[in-house]
Amino acid sequence: MKTKSIQQILPPPAPHMVGDGFRVHNFFPSGYDMGLARMSPFFMLDYNSKVDFPATDTPRGVGVHPHRGFETVTIAYHGKVAHHDSAGNSGVIGEGDVQWMTATSGVLHKEYHEKEYAKKGGFFQMVQLWVNLPAKDKMSKPKYQGITHEQMGKYNIPDNGGVVEVIAGEFNGIKGPAFTFTPIQMYNVRIKKGAKLTFNLPENFNTGILVVEGTIKVNTTEEAPVDHFVLFKNDGETINLEATEDSILLVLSGEPINESIAPYGPFLMNTKEELMQAFEDFNTGKFGHLED
């Protein structure tokens, strides 16, 4: 198989606050001039690099807001987040867990630091992805997947080299629990210093790796340090990794959705007319009700 070569290794863009609880680096679509579809089906990557929040009796976060046409996927590395939405779903995710909310036809939701974590404070580190959906699925029924660390598929890297946690898709025959509308491979890789690992991912899949902790060497030559994002070309299938220190990686790879994209604020649709309808439905209460 041919090597999937590196297009760029991107340092974290300047951070900004989302609400008062999430200090994020937006790698795409705004952080770099990658275009709206460069990482399709992944539309947005907000990375909350490790930050130490002081204790508070008022949990930080983001108040009630709408979404339609896509999924939000929150992956926790440090800290805890509580989720509530107008479809009646709620949950708390902590270190190692994933919150997968499918907004589809429309929900209101809110995300806050979990109360007990907020009272104690401490390190907070998260990733939030927006995963686009095909036009045929955008108006289906909302759903919610709370995926614990224990539920993930686990592949043990040989020679006690660490573990690949399969969130979605599969790796070396180990399947992840997440339901996805289009083919997606999503892994947390916890790899020890000196260990090596090879991935084989379809050539046409858009692929990137976020270095959450540590430093890795990619395809034997390029070094990617902590908080950097490795963007791959669509020119091969094989990626070779070596950890130069104990590392945690988020691997994202998915089959692109080759449809028009019409984003605006909290909505991700295919046409301007669909966006206008989303705003009308939101303003007339069709997304339900949720107390802040």
Side-chain angles (χ1 to χ4, degrees):
M1 290 185 176
K2 186 180 176 183
T3 298
K4 191 182 286 284
S5 56
I6 296 169
Q7 179 175 320
Q8 286 177 286
I9 297 178
L10 304 169
H16 67 275
M17 293 300 295
V18 177
D20 65 357
F22 303 92
R23 176 185 175 273
V24 301
H25 309 272
N26 181 254
F27 279 96
F28 57 84
S30 301
Y32 291 92
D33 189 20
M34 291 169 56
L36 298 180
R38 177 60 187 88
M39 274 297 293
S40 176
F42 310 103
F43 178 78
M44 188 192 80
L45 169 56
D46 268 353
Y47 171 49
N48 191 130
S49 59
K50 192 185 293 182
V51 60
D52 193 356
F53 278 111
T56 178
D57 288 327
T58 305
R60 301 172 178 87
V62 183
V64 175
H65 57 285
H67 286 308
R68 172 180 280 181
F70 64 100
E71 303 179 288
T72 67
V73 180
T74 305
I75 304 165
Y77 297 97
H78 291 280
K80 291 184 177 181
V81 171
H83 162 93
H84 296 83
D85 69 38
S86 57
N89 300 302
S90 64
V92 174
I93 61 164
E95 185 170 329
D97 299 339
V98 174
Q99 202 175 71
W100 197 301
M101 186 195 75
T102 304
T104 44
S105 60
V107 295
L108 306 177
H109 85 142
K110 58 182 180 180
E111 298 164 290
Y112 284 96
H113 294 184
E114 186 268 335
K115 287 182 180 179
E116 294 306 313
Y117 161 75
K119 286 180 180 178
K120 295 177 182 178
F123 286 124
F124 191 83
Q125 187 179 24
M126 302 264 165
V127 167
Q128 185 168 95
L129 300 160
W130 286 14
V131 180
N132 196 12
L133 296 172
K136 67 181 179 64
D137 297 314
K138 283 186 180 291
M139 294 299 289
S140 55
K141 185 180 179 180
K143 61 184 289 187
Y144 176 81
Q145 302 174 80
I147 300 168
T148 66
H149 179 258
E150 289 73 24
Q151 291 172 319
M152 295 176 191
K154 308 287 197 311
Y155 170 82
N156 293 316
I157 301 170
D159 302 319
N160 199 31
V163 62
V164 178
E165 300 167 355
V166 185
I167 301 168
E170 66 175 88
F171 179 75
N172 283 4
I174 305 295
K175 293 185 178 181
F179 169 84
T180 65
F181 288 80
T182 59
I184 286 175
Q185 309 292 341
M186 187 183 298
Y187 321 132
N188 270 329
V189 180
R190 302 178 189 271
I191 185 169
K192 296 181 180 179
K193 180 179 179 180
K196 297 181 180 180
L197 190 63
T198 297
F199 294 93
N200 291 305
L201 299 162
E203 183 173 326
N204 70 310
F205 276 31
N206 291 325
T207 302
I209 296 176
L210 177 68
V211 184
V212 177
E213 297 281 359
T215 302
I216 57 167
K217 190 176 287 184
V218 185
N219 293 340
T220 72
T221 57
E222 297 289 329
E223 190 168 87
V226 67
D227 298 340
H228 283 55
F229 184 77
V230 185
L231 177 65
F232 291 89
K233 296 180 181 178
N234 300 86
D235 62 350
E237 294 148 344
T238 301
I239 297 171
N240 295 296
L241 303 179
E242 180 181 357
T244 54
E245 54 186 340
D246 289 355
S247 300
I248 300 174
L249 318 171
L250 175 62
V251 177
L252 304 171
S253 187
E255 184 176 70
I257 299 170
N258 295 313
E259 297 176 350
S260 61
I261 300 175
Y264 193 89
F267 305 132
L268 184 56
M269 306 304 291
N270 295 95
T271 67
K272 181 179 177 181
E273 290 73 23
E274 289 170 345
L275 285 175
M276 295 172 65
Q277 186 65 53
F279 276 102
E280 181 179 338
D281 290 348
F282 167 59
N283 289 329
T284 55
K286 292 182 180 178
F287 283 37
H289 178 74
L290 184 65
E291 293 288 341
D292 206 343

